[in-house]
Amino acid sequence: QRVLRLAEMCRRLETEEEKVLPFYPSSLAEGEQQDARRVLEETPTEPLAQAMWDYVGLERFWQRFNKAKLEEQALERERAALSQRNRQLRQLLRQYLAGISITQDMLGQPNPL
């Protein structure tokens, strides 16, 4: 019952778009989808399957949770790539600034300035 209450609470927190649109488009053919629906509607007979039946209501939660984790990993990779690019640009800027800087050694030598 706690699982069902948690699933109901999660459902209440969904946006209208999340409630209306399917979470993932199915990659199954129509016949495969019907077979899957039929299997899901059958009452399980094995003890493990019966225990899992109690948690079916959390399926949408776990889908969203996994999607959020995937997005988090993608953002972390993007952040790492941007950090690397930032380091490269800073190094190029240091080199440029070093090239246009005037030092005492440069003043002692002939230069176009």
Side-chain angles (χ1 to χ4, degrees), residues 11 29 41 45 63 68 97:
R11 180 76 175 155
E41 290 170 359
T45 56
Q63 286 176 338
L97 291 175

Side-chain angles (χ1 to χ4, degrees), residues 10-11 16 28 41 49 55 58 60 64 94-95 101 108:
C10 291
R11 180 76 175 155
E16 285 301 315
L28 298 175
E41 290 170 359
Y55 295 94
L58 290 176
R60 289 176 59 87
R64 293 187 193 290
R94 274 191 218 100
Q95 290 173 358
S101 298

